[in-house]
Amino acid sequence: VDNASALEEAEKIEAESGFYRFSKHIPVSLNLGNSGTWTEVPGGMLWRLKIRSVNALGTVLYYDKFTIPAGGYMHIYNEDRTDKIGAFTVNNNPEGGKYATGLIKGEAVILEYFEPSDKIGKGEISLETVSHAFRGADLVENERGSSQDCQVDINCPEGDNWRDQQRGIVRIIVQSFGGSGFCSGSLVNNTGEDCAPYVLSAFHCGTSSNTNHFNQYIFYFNYAFNGCGSGLISSGSITGCAKLADSGDGGGNNGSDFMLMELNQLIPWNYNPYFNGWNASGATPQSGVSIHHPSGDKMKISTYTLNLVNTTWGGASGSHWRVIWAGTANGHGVTEGGSSGSPIFDENGYIVGQLTGGSSYCNSVQPGGQTSPDFYGKMSYNWSSNPGDNLEDFLDPAGTGDQTFDGSNLPCPNYTDVTDRILSEDLTIFPNPSDGQFTVEVSFIMDDLYMEIFDAAGKLVYEKDLAGYLRANIDLTDQKSGLYMVRVRSGNKVRTERIIIR
C-alpha cells in the first residue's frame, strides 16, 4: 500500500461522506493449514505467523473463521512486543465465524496460537483481510495523538463534571469504503434498567457496511490519557455487535442519523462502564459537552456555552441540533472525522443527540469564538420521527412514556447478573472461609466458563478461563483478609458467590 495515495483517497471519501477511513483492506487467505509454522511444545502444538505490510503504521486483522477450542488461546503482538492483545480463548468464539482483532501498532504483526493435545485439529483461524493503517494509528503512550492540536483531553479539568458520562464513551472500528474507519458512540441506558449493552452511534457509521461486518466491529472502552495531555492509556475492548435499529434515512439525508447496536457480550465489570441517560423531550439545551474520539485519538471533550439551535441536516426539518463550540482553559474542542456518532450532552448530563457532521476545525477558531458549527441528530427526533426505526421502542421497553431517563452504573437495578442468570450447573467453592487457597469446582466440563474475583471495593484481583476444567485451584494468599466476590459466567448465565479470606 502506498500511504500517500491511500491518504489522498481517504480524504476524498471523508469530504464526500464524513467517513474517517484510516486503513486500506488487503484481501488474503491465510489459515492454520497453508501459512505459519507449527511447533510441538509441552501440552500441545504452537502455531506462529508473522504478517508484514511494508510502511504500515499498524494493522487490523479480519477473520472469516475463528474457533478456539477449550484450553486453547491466541496472543497477537508486534515485533518488539510493545503492543499486544490477548489471550483470545473459547470465550471469544463468535457465532457465524466472522471476527476481528484490534489495531496493533507497527508494520508487522505476529499471531501465536496454542492448541492443547486433546484438541488437535479442533481450532480454526482463517484470515480474510489484513487492513493496512496509514494514519490515525499512533498508539504510543505519552505522545500527542492524531487529532488537531486544539482538542482537549477528557481528563483535563474541563472533564471534571463529566466523569460518569466519559465511562460510557466508546471508540469504534468499523468497516466501509474498502478499509477500516473510526467512529464514536456511547453506552445508553433503557427504562428496563437491565444494563443491556446498547451503544448509540450514527447511522452513517454503518450504512455502507455489509451486515456480516457487525460481528467485526471493535468497541474500545476508556481509551484515554489518565492525565491532562499525558499519562498511560487505559482501555479494554469488545468485538462484535448486532444492529438493533437505525434511522433509515441514508445517514442523515432525511432524518436524524442514529444507529443503535447491542454488543455481542456483557461488558466486563473491570471496564467500569456507565450507561448514559438521555433527554428526548426536545427542550433546548443551554450548555453542555460532547465527548468523542477525533481521528480515532484518545478521548476528548468539546464544550458549548450557547443554546443549541433547532435546525436541519439534509431534508428533514428540525432533525438536528446546531452547536457552536467554546474555548476553555486547555484548548478549544472541536470535532473531526472519527467523532461521528459521539453523544452531545445537555447541562444535566443527558444525551440529547449524536454527531452527524459539521465544519468545525481548529483553524476556524476566531478571536470571538468558534464560527463553524457542527450538527447532531436530535434524540427527540430519534424517538419517533424517522423514516426507519423508532428509538423509543428500544430505550423505553417498559412503556413508561418518560422523556428523560437517568444513567446508571453497573449493576443497574434490574441487572440479571445476580438474579435470573444463575448457572444451572452446580458450583462449589471450598474451603470457605479459607486462608487464600481454595478450589472452584463445577459438576461437568464446559466449553464456555470464565471466572473473575473482585475485592470488597470492586477491584478485579484475579481472573481465569475455566473452559475445559472440572475444578481449579486458586491462590490468593497475596491478597488482604476480607470479603471477595467470585463471579463465574457462561454466555449470559452468571453466578456470583462470596468467599472470605482470613
Side-chain angles (χ1 to χ4, degrees), residues 135-174:
R135 66 169 174 172
D138 35 11
L139 300 179
V140 179
E141 296 174 353
N142 298 314
E143 287 189 8
R144 173 146 199 98
S146 52
S147 63
Q148 297 178 40
D149 58 10
C150 69
Q151 299 284 11
V152 180
D153 283 320
I154 184 62
N155 284 317
C156 290
E158 286 89 334
D160 284 348
N161 294 328
W162 306 92
R163 296 300 174 218
D164 284 339
Q165 286 79 7
Q166 78 177 71
R167 294 189 285 116
I169 306 304
V170 291
R171 181 181 77 153
I172 314 171
I173 293 183
V174 305

Coordinates of all heavy atoms in Angstrom, one line a residue, residues 135-174:
R135 N -2.9 6.1 8.7 CA -3.0 7.3 9.5 C -3.8 6.9 10.8 O -4.4 5.9 10.9 CB -3.7 8.4 8.8 CG -5.1 8.2 8.5 CD -5.8 9.4 8.0 NE -7.2 9.2 7.5 CZ -8.0 10.1 7.2 NH1 -7.7 11.4 7.2 NH2 -9.2 9.9 6.7
G136 N -3.7 7.8 11.8 CA -4.6 7.6 13.0 C -4.2 6.4 13.8 O -5.0 6.0 14.7
A137 N -3.0 5.8 13.6 CA -2.7 4.6 14.3 C -1.6 4.8 15.4 O -0.9 3.9 15.8 CB -2.2 3.5 13.3
D138 N -1.5 6.0 15.9 CA -0.5 6.4 16.8 C -0.9 5.9 18.2 O -1.6 6.7 18.9 CB -0.1 7.9 16.8 CG -1.4 8.7 16.6 OD1 -2.5 8.2 16.6 OD2 -1.2 9.9 16.3
L139 N -0.4 4.8 18.6 CA -0.8 4.2 19.9 C 0.3 4.4 20.9 O 0.4 3.6 21.9 CB -1.2 2.7 19.8 CG -2.3 2.5 18.8 CD1 -2.6 1.0 18.7 CD2 -3.6 3.2 19.3
V140 N 1.2 5.3 20.7 CA 2.4 5.5 21.6 C 1.9 6.2 22.9 O 1.3 7.2 22.8 CB 3.5 6.2 20.9 CG1 4.7 6.4 21.9 CG2 3.9 5.5 19.7
E141 N 2.3 5.7 24.1 CA 1.9 6.3 25.3 C 2.7 7.6 25.5 O 3.8 7.8 25.0 CB 2.2 5.4 26.5 CG 1.4 4.1 26.5 CD 1.8 3.1 27.5 OE1 2.8 3.4 28.2 OE2 1.1 2.1 27.7
N142 N 2.0 8.6 26.1 CA 2.6 9.9 26.5 C 3.0 10.7 25.3 O 3.9 11.6 25.4 CB 3.8 9.7 27.4 CG 3.5 9.0 28.7 OD1 2.5 9.4 29.3 ND2 4.2 8.0 29.1
E143 N 2.5 10.4 24.1 CA 2.7 11.3 23.0 C 1.4 11.8 22.4 O 0.3 11.2 22.6 CB 3.4 10.5 21.8 CG 4.8 10.2 22.1 CD 5.5 9.5 20.9 OE1 4.9 9.5 19.8 OE2 6.7 9.1 21.0
R144 N 1.4 13.0 21.9 CA 0.2 13.6 21.3 C -0.3 12.7 20.2 O 0.5 12.1 19.4 CB 0.5 15.0 20.8 CG -0.6 15.5 20.0 CD -0.8 17.0 20.1 NE -2.2 17.3 19.8 CZ -3.2 17.5 20.6 NH1 -2.9 17.5 21.9 NH2 -4.4 17.7 20.3
G145 N -1.6 12.6 20.1 CA -2.2 11.7 19.1 C -2.4 12.3 17.7 O -1.8 13.3 17.4
S146 N -3.3 11.7 17.0 CA -3.6 12.1 15.6 C -4.5 13.2 15.4 O -4.7 13.7 14.3 CB -4.1 10.9 14.9 OG -5.2 10.3 15.5
S147 N -5.2 13.7 16.5 CA -6.2 14.7 16.4 C -5.5 16.1 16.4 O -4.3 16.3 16.6 CB -7.2 14.7 17.5 OG -6.6 14.9 18.8
Q148 N -6.3 17.1 16.0 CA -5.8 18.5 15.9 C -5.4 19.0 17.3 O -5.8 18.6 18.3 CB -6.9 19.4 15.3 CG -7.3 19.0 13.9 CD -8.4 19.9 13.4 OE1 -8.5 21.1 13.6 NE2 -9.4 19.2 12.7
D149 N -4.5 20.0 17.2 CA -3.8 20.4 18.5 C -4.7 21.3 19.4 O -4.3 21.6 20.5 CB -2.5 21.2 18.2 CG -2.7 22.4 17.3 OD1 -3.8 22.8 17.0 OD2 -1.7 22.9 16.8
C150 N -5.9 21.7 19.0 CA -6.7 22.5 19.9 C -7.6 21.6 20.7 O -8.3 22.1 21.7 CB -7.6 23.5 19.1 SG -8.9 22.7 18.1
Q151 N -7.6 20.3 20.5 CA -8.5 19.4 21.2 C -8.1 19.3 22.6 O -6.9 19.4 23.0 CB -8.4 18.0 20.6 CG -8.9 17.9 19.1 CD -10.4 18.0 18.9 OE1 -11.1 18.3 19.9 NE2 -10.9 17.7 17.7
V152 N -9.1 19.0 23.5 CA -8.9 19.0 25.0 C -9.1 17.6 25.5 O -10.2 16.9 25.2 CB -10.0 19.9 25.7 CG1 -9.8 19.9 27.2 CG2 -9.8 21.3 25.1
D153 N -8.1 17.0 26.2 CA -8.2 15.7 26.7 C -9.3 15.6 27.8 O -9.5 16.5 28.5 CB -6.9 15.3 27.3 CG -5.8 14.9 26.3 OD1 -6.2 14.2 25.3 OD2 -4.7 15.2 26.5
I154 N -10.0 14.5 27.8 CA -11.1 14.3 28.7 C -10.7 14.4 30.2 O -11.5 14.9 31.0 CB -11.8 12.9 28.5 CG1 -13.0 12.8 29.3 CG2 -10.8 11.8 28.7 CD1 -14.1 13.8 29.1
N155 N -9.4 14.1 30.5 CA -9.0 14.1 31.9 C -8.3 15.4 32.2 O -7.7 15.5 33.3 CB -8.1 12.9 32.2 CG -9.0 11.7 32.4 OD1 -10.1 11.7 33.0 ND2 -8.5 10.6 31.8
C156 N -8.5 16.4 31.4 CA -8.2 17.8 31.8 C -9.4 18.3 32.7 O -10.4 17.7 32.8 CB -8.1 18.7 30.6 SG -6.6 18.4 29.6
P157 N -9.2 19.4 33.4 CA -10.2 19.9 34.3 C -11.6 20.1 33.6 O -12.6 20.0 34.3 CB -9.7 21.2 34.8 CG -8.2 21.0 34.8 CD -7.9 20.2 33.6
E158 N -11.6 20.4 32.3 CA -12.9 20.5 31.6 C -13.8 19.3 31.7 O -15.0 19.4 31.6 CB -12.6 20.8 30.1 CG -12.1 22.2 29.8 CD -10.6 22.3 29.9 OE1 -9.9 21.5 30.6 OE2 -10.1 23.2 29.2
G159 N -13.2 18.1 32.0 CA -14.0 16.9 32.1 C -14.4 16.6 33.5 O -15.1 15.6 33.8
D160 N -14.1 17.4 34.5 CA -14.3 17.1 35.9 C -15.8 16.8 36.3 O -16.1 16.0 37.1 CB -13.7 18.2 36.9 CG -12.2 18.2 37.0 OD1 -11.6 17.2 36.5 OD2 -11.7 19.1 37.5
N161 N -16.7 17.6 35.6 CA -18.1 17.4 35.9 C -18.7 16.3 35.0 O -20.0 16.1 35.1 CB -18.8 18.7 35.6 CG -18.4 19.8 36.6 OD1 -18.1 19.5 37.8 ND2 -18.4 21.0 36.2
W162 N -17.9 15.6 34.3 CA -18.4 14.6 33.3 C -17.8 13.2 33.5 O -17.7 12.5 32.5 CB -18.2 15.1 31.9 CG -18.8 16.5 31.7 CD1 -18.2 17.7 31.9 CD2 -20.2 16.8 31.4 NE1 -19.0 18.7 31.7 CE2 -20.3 18.2 31.4 CE3 -21.3 16.1 31.1 CZ2 -21.5 18.9 31.1 CZ3 -22.5 16.7 30.8 CH2 -22.6 18.1 30.8
R163 N -17.3 12.9 34.7 CA -16.6 11.7 34.9 C -17.5 10.4 34.7 O -17.0 9.4 34.2 CB -16.0 11.7 36.3 CG -14.9 12.7 36.5 CD -13.8 12.6 35.5 NE -12.8 13.7 35.6 CZ -12.2 14.3 34.5 NH1 -12.5 13.8 33.3 NH2 -11.4 15.3 34.7
D164 N -18.7 10.5 35.1 CA -19.6 9.4 34.8 C -19.8 9.2 33.3 O -19.7 8.1 32.8 CB -21.0 9.6 35.5 CG -20.9 9.3 37.0 OD1 -20.0 8.6 37.5 OD2 -21.8 9.8 37.7
Q165 N -20.2 10.3 32.7 CA -20.5 10.2 31.3 C -19.4 9.7 30.4 O -19.6 8.9 29.5 CB -20.9 11.6 30.7 CG -22.3 12.1 31.2 CD -22.4 12.6 32.6 OE1 -21.3 12.8 33.3 NE2 -23.5 12.9 33.1
Q166 N -18.1 10.0 30.8 CA -17.0 9.6 30.0 C -16.8 8.1 30.0 O -16.3 7.5 29.1 CB -15.7 10.3 30.4 CG -15.1 9.7 31.7 CD -13.7 10.4 32.0 OE1 -13.7 11.6 32.4 NE2 -12.6 9.7 31.9
R167 N -17.3 7.4 31.1 CA -17.1 6.0 31.2 C -18.1 5.2 30.3 O -18.0 4.0 30.1 CB -17.4 5.5 32.7 CG -16.3 6.0 33.6 CD -16.4 5.4 35.0 NE -17.5 6.0 35.8 CZ -18.6 5.3 36.2 NH1 -18.7 4.0 35.9 NH2 -19.5 5.9 36.9
G168 N -19.0 5.9 29.6 CA -19.9 5.3 28.7 C -19.5 5.5 27.2 O -20.1 5.0 26.3
I169 N -18.4 6.3 27.0 CA -18.0 6.6 25.6 C -17.1 5.5 25.0 O -16.2 4.9 25.7 CB -17.2 7.9 25.6 CG1 -18.0 9.0 26.2 CG2 -16.8 8.3 24.2 CD1 -19.4 9.2 25.6
V170 N -17.4 5.1 23.8 CA -16.6 4.1 23.1 C -16.0 4.6 21.8 O -16.6 5.4 21.1 CB -17.4 2.8 22.8 CG1 -17.8 2.1 24.1 CG2 -18.7 3.2 22.0
R171 N -14.8 4.1 21.5 CA -14.2 4.3 20.2 C -14.5 3.0 19.4 O -14.4 1.9 19.9 CB -12.7 4.5 20.3 CG -12.0 4.7 19.0 CD -10.5 4.9 19.1 NE -9.8 3.6 19.3 CZ -8.5 3.4 19.0 NH1 -7.8 4.3 18.4 NH2 -8.0 2.2 19.3
I172 N -15.0 3.2 18.2 CA -15.5 2.1 17.4 C -14.6 2.0 16.1 O -14.5 3.0 15.4 CB -16.9 2.2 17.0 CG1 -17.8 2.6 18.2 CG2 -17.5 0.9 16.4 CD1 -19.2 3.0 17.9
I173 N -14.1 0.8 15.8 CA -13.5 0.5 14.5 C -14.6 -0.2 13.6 O -15.1 -1.2 14.0 CB -12.3 -0.4 14.6 CG1 -11.1 0.4 15.3 CG2 -11.8 -0.9 13.2 CD1 -9.9 -0.4 15.4
V174 N -14.9 0.4 12.5 CA -16.0 -0.1 11.6 C -15.3 -0.3 10.3 O -14.2 0.0 10.0 CB -17.1 0.9 11.5 CG1 -17.7 1.3 12.9 CG2 -16.7 2.2 10.8

